[in-house]
Amino acid sequence: MKRTYLGEFEELVLLTVAILKEKAYGVAIADELQDQTGRSANISAVHAALHRLEEKGMLASHLGEATAERGGRRKRLFVVTALGGATLSEIKEMRNRLWNAIGPDTLIATI
């Protein structure tokens, strides 16, 4: 598989879509990102990352049903594709290899 690189924010957005499953849409993703990371996520940045991830084939989207709470508008819902899932697995494996390669005394601060 050709390696597609993700920036940190794209990776976080992709992971958050996986967490939310069928309830993943812009505002819910931004809220979950803040809950999980403690970082505030600008909704425009979330939408831009969603668009990039969809263009890369890592996400797919569809319009949900119209809701009264949104004035009859429909939400664009996102799901992780097979490529997106494989990419997340690859990233996790790489990070685990790197962490496992660090010696036990490496991260101990010396004064």
Side-chain angles (χ1 to χ4, degrees):
M1 173 169 90
K2 180 184 173 233
R3 176 77 165 107
T4 302
Y5 294 94
L6 297 180
E8 179 195 17
F9 190 69
E10 286 178 328
E11 182 182 346
L12 291 174
V13 169
L14 190 57
L15 284 165
T16 304
V17 172
I19 290 168
L20 292 172
K21 301 175 185 161
E22 69 278 350
K23 296 178 182 166
Y25 69 98
V27 172
I29 294 166
D31 290 346
E32 186 69 19
L33 268 170
Q34 179 150 7
D35 290 347
Q36 292 289 337
T37 67
R39 289 171 41 179
S40 176
N42 178 300
I43 191 66
S44 297
V46 170
H47 281 290
L50 290 168
H51 179 72
R52 287 191 306 273
L53 289 165
E54 193 167 22
E55 280 185 336
K56 291 177 181 182
M58 294 184 192
L59 291 178
S61 70
H62 67 278
L63 289 175
E65 296 299 317
T67 61
E69 67 197 25
R70 292 177 47 87
R73 294 185 328 223
R74 298 164 25 153
K75 296 175 185 173
R76 178 159 298 280
L77 301 168
F78 292 86
V79 294
V80 177
T81 64
L83 175 62
T87 301
L88 285 174
S89 292
E90 199 176 290
I91 290 168
K92 181 180 178 188
E93 288 174 20
M94 179 206 45
R95 290 190 192 285
N96 286 341
R97 276 193 315 273
L98 290 168
W99 277 106
N100 291 336
I102 296 173
D105 297 334
T106 304
L107 299 179
I108 297 173
T110 57
I111 300 176

